[in-house]
Amino acid sequence: MFKKLRNRFLIVNLVTISVMMLVAFATIYIINYLNVQNDIRMDLQRITEAFQKPGSGEHRGGMDDGLGEGIGSAPESAIDNGTQRQDIGGGTFGRMGGSPPPERSISFMIQTDNDWKQTGTPVSQLSMDDEFYAQALHEAAGTDKTTGRFELDGSLWAFEVKQTADGHMLVFLDITSQQKILTNLIYIFTVVGIIMLIILFFISRYFANRSIKPVQEAFDKQKQFIADASHELKTPLAIINTNTDVLLSNPEDTILEQSKWLHYIKSETERMAKLTNDLLYLTEMDDSRTGMIHAPFNISEAVENIILTMEAVIFEKNVALEYDIEPNLTVHGNSEQIKQVVMILLDNAVKYTGPKGEVTLSLRKQHNDVLLSVTNTGEGIAAEHLTRIFDRFYRTDTSRARKQGGYGLGLAIAKSIVEQQHKGKLYAKSTVGESTTFYVQLS
């Protein structure tokens, strides 16, 4: 069940992250795509304007030396009057107050008549053969559009058609590098996305396992709690049922004659009543909405009163009691609940102290807190049990459970009171074969 829950968590998490990544990458790509397209349009516009200016030179495609005098070029007098000429990519472009085509772009221009037949010589930055110009003109004219793009000889070209007095002027611009930028961006996003998803899968799986672990532990504890409670109720119910059968099998006997069986029934009924009361109390402690009235009280006096009520029981058990209580210590909390904690710890210490053993209680100020410690001599508690002795129904020796009395709920109740209701600490330390000490730390 928890494996399925983890897998669903992973699927939801990865789908959510994938959608977010896809949206982010698509947004970045669209922004870059629009910027590139805008740059292409601006470059094509600038080149078109450069070719339209009077004095534009030409580079004759198909010539042996790759250079030639431009058709419609500016006369020498224009050069004498300050017209500049600039060498660009192997060709020459004159300008009269205008800017030449961008140096980073490869471009050329073809003039045609109204029937799309080439007139004159193409003006180009590079030397290209006549067949290339003819193919480019055919591709552009075949689209029947004033602007567009096509692929020729492994390169991507954008073109723009301008109407002239004698026909058309077609300007071509190589946009292969810009297209490669967009293509590489897609590859980069794909690789980065896959790598990120793989990394996020393992990270999500790690945190999913950590997130589900407390839920699984709580579920396991709940199952164990139900099993333990059922087991604890099973024994007294069986005893009650058996003794009831004995009573029913002797209907002529008097109550006095049947008193032994009635006492057994009453004893087990009281045990069940105590169990149900303890379970209800634990439920109230676990309910965060339930809160007791807290106020400052003298914990020294509260502990002394509990010791006075326990003296007879301790004496009957033949256990020595020593205590050291610092007077007039005050804590903020519920005095009745703290008394119950002290009672549970003392009762637990007396139960697990052998005859002629010793129980020691200490209450003192420690920094800004009050520390209560209850120590008893005896067998001690093994290290593997120390972390679980506060669990409900948990006992280190189940064979002694019924003999000692109780259901293993006392320490669970004490921990709930101290840590949930008073925000304190309750913990234990033990030396096997020597002693066990329980500590209560309150503010």
Side-chain angles (χ1 to χ4, degrees):
M1 180 181 70
F2 290 100
K3 188 176 181 181
K4 291 182 179 179
L5 182 62
R6 183 202 66 184
N7 292 338
R8 289 179 181 178
F9 177 82
L10 280 174
I11 292 172
V12 171
N13 192 34
L14 290 176
V15 168
T16 303
I17 293 174
S18 299
V19 171
M20 293 176 63
M21 287 173 53
L22 186 62
V23 171
F25 288 166
T27 303
I28 296 173
Y29 180 81
I30 290 173
I31 292 174
N32 280 274
Y33 178 83
L34 294 176
N35 288 335
V36 169
Q37 299 306 315
N38 186 55
D39 288 344
I40 292 173
R41 285 194 297 271
M42 292 180 65
D43 288 347
L44 196 57
Q45 184 177 0
R46 285 197 297 268
I47 293 170
T48 302
E49 292 175 353
F51 280 121
Q52 286 178 327
K53 292 183 181 296
S56 294
E58 69 171 347
H59 190 159
R60 300 177 61 87
M63 294 182 65
D64 294 336
D65 57 358
L67 296 172
E69 184 177 352
I71 296 177
S73 60
E76 294 298 327
S77 59
I79 301 175
D80 295 338
N81 290 331
T83 302
Q84 300 177 358
R85 297 177 63 86
Q86 183 175 356
D87 180 34
I88 301 175
T92 58
F93 287 86
R95 63 189 179 102
M96 298 178 62
S99 59
E103 294 186 18
R104 61 190 175 94
S105 303
I106 299 175
S107 59
F108 62 92
M109 181 268 290
I110 300 176
Q111 289 184 333
T112 68
D113 57 18
N114 290 325
D115 295 327
W116 298 97
K117 293 182 179 180
Q118 180 177 333
T119 60
T121 305
V123 180
S124 174
Q125 291 174 283
L126 299 178
S127 175
M128 302 176 186
D129 55 30
D130 293 336
E131 183 179 355
F132 178 86
Y133 293 125
Q135 290 179 351
L137 177 60
H138 175 74
E139 292 286 347
T143 61
D144 197 24
K145 296 180 181 179
T146 58
T147 183
R149 59 186 61 186
F150 59 88
E151 188 174 351
L152 184 62
D153 289 347
S155 298
L156 188 64
W157 295 85
F159 69 91
E160 185 174 358
V161 179
K162 291 290 185 180
Q163 190 73 32
T164 63
D166 299 330
H168 306 91
M169 183 181 74
L170 291 84
V171 179
F172 299 84
L173 173 66
D174 185 359
I175 59 172
T176 306
S177 59
Q178 291 92 329
Q179 187 62 37
K180 283 184 177 179
I181 292 175
L182 296 176
T183 304
N184 291 336
L185 195 61
I186 294 176
Y187 291 151
I188 292 171
F189 283 165
T190 303
V191 173
V192 171
I194 293 173
I195 294 174
M196 287 182 66
L197 284 177
I198 294 173
I199 295 173
L200 287 171
F201 171 77
F202 289 103
I203 294 176
S204 299
R205 184 175 180 178
Y206 171 75
F207 283 106
N209 289 331
R210 289 196 60 181
S211 300
I212 292 175
K213 187 176 181 180
V215 180
Q216 185 173 4
E217 290 177 352
F219 182 78
D220 293 339
K221 285 183 178 180
Q222 185 180 20
K223 288 176 60 179
Q224 186 65 37
F225 170 77
I226 294 173
D228 292 338
S230 300
H231 177 74
E232 294 293 348
L233 288 170
K234 181 180 180 181
T235 302
L237 286 172
I239 294 174
I240 292 172
N241 185 58
T242 302
N243 285 280
T244 304
D245 290 339
V246 173
L247 290 173
L248 293 174
S249 64
N250 300 285
E252 297 178 358
D253 291 349
T254 63
I255 293 178
L256 182 61
E257 292 172 338
Q258 302 280 12
S259 61
K260 180 174 69 172
W261 316 114
L262 294 173
H263 283 305
Y264 289 157
I265 293 174
K266 185 175 186 301
S267 174
E268 295 305 318
T269 303
E270 290 175 349
R271 283 173 55 83
M272 290 179 62
K274 185 178 184 303
L275 172 61
T276 53
N277 288 334
D278 288 345
L279 292 175
L280 287 173
Y281 189 80
L282 278 171
T283 303
E284 291 178 355
M285 292 297 101
D286 292 340
D287 190 352
S288 58
R289 296 171 297 178
T290 303
M292 304 295 290
I293 298 175
H294 288 186
F297 70 95
N298 191 321
I299 191 173
S300 301
E301 292 182 0
V303 174
E304 287 177 357
N305 291 336
I306 296 299
I307 291 175
L308 291 176
T309 59
M310 292 285 295
E311 276 186 339
V313 177
I314 295 172
F315 178 78
E316 185 180 349
K317 292 284 187 177
N318 194 21
V319 174
L321 174 63
E322 293 186 5
Y323 56 90
D324 179 17
I325 300 175
E326 187 176 334
N328 300 321
L329 294 179
T330 302
V331 296
H332 189 271
N334 184 275
S335 60
E336 294 303 320
Q337 286 187 330
I338 298 302
K339 286 180 181 180
Q340 186 177 2
V341 171
V342 178
M343 180 77 75
I344 291 171
L345 295 180
L346 276 176
D347 181 66
N348 190 72
V350 172
K351 283 181 181 179
Y352 292 95
T353 301
K356 298 183 180 181
E358 183 177 319
V359 175
T360 304
L361 183 145
S362 172
L363 181 68
R364 66 183 185 274
K365 187 80 171 180
Q366 187 181 64
H367 304 297
N368 295 324
D369 298 330
V370 173
L371 183 67
L372 169 70
S373 62
V374 179
T375 304
N376 67 278
T377 58
E379 299 177 359
I381 303 173
E384 62 268 20
H385 296 299
L386 277 177
T387 57
R388 299 194 58 192
I389 56 176
F390 298 103
D391 293 346
R392 301 171 185 181
F393 295 109
Y394 186 81
R395 282 170 294 215
T396 58
D397 188 357
T398 55
S399 63
R400 297 177 57 188
R402 193 166 185 85
K403 181 180 177 181
Q404 296 292 348
Y407 294 93
L409 295 175
L411 291 177
I413 292 173
K415 190 174 183 68
S416 295
I417 292 174
V418 173
E419 297 190 354
Q420 294 186 23
Q421 296 294 320
H422 290 80
K423 308 304 178 185
K425 293 182 181 179
L426 174 60
Y427 55 96
K429 295 181 180 179
S430 181
T431 303
V432 178
E434 294 184 11
S435 64
T436 302
T437 304
F438 287 87
Y439 297 92
V440 177
Q441 187 175 345
L442 297 171
S443 302

